[in-house]
Amino acid sequence: DGVPGAAESSDNFGDSVSIHDINGNGYADLAAAASRENMVEGGNTGEGAVWSLRGRPTGIVTDAAFTFGPRTVGAPVERATFGGSLS
């Protein structure tokens, strides 16, 4: 609950993950990618997208979760596999 989007098995949600304190509040935030998000039917790659979930004293929470992909940042879209590698 609270994670934007719909669960689709073909998206490969979580095929790349990373934990960093993205916003500098002292708590680990989670970035999780789905490199096959918005996959073209019959294809094996997609645009890809990344979900950001914030860390709080209680752990990772979804109350400020957001998602972004190549369209959001003005990157190429076709077979982008955006988020396929996070570091």
Side-chain angles (χ1 to χ4, degrees):
D1 289 339
V3 177
E8 302 165 324
S9 62
S10 62
D11 287 346
N12 287 3
F13 182 80
D15 63 350
S16 181
V17 297
S18 183
I19 296 179
H20 294 284
D21 181 8
I22 296 169
N23 57 2
N25 69 352
Y27 302 105
D29 303 305
L30 173 68
S35 63
R36 292 171 60 177
E37 176 74 11
N38 295 330
M39 184 173 62
V40 176
E41 189 172 329
N44 61 2
T45 62
E47 290 179 23
V50 174
W51 283 256
S52 178
L53 299 121
R54 297 298 183 202
R56 301 279 197 278
T58 57
I60 302 294
V61 296
T62 60
D63 63 343
F66 64 93
T67 185
F68 60 98
R71 294 174 194 271
T72 311
V73 299
V77 173
E78 188 175 337
R79 296 181 293 191
T81 63
F82 189 85
S85 177
L86 299 172
S87 57

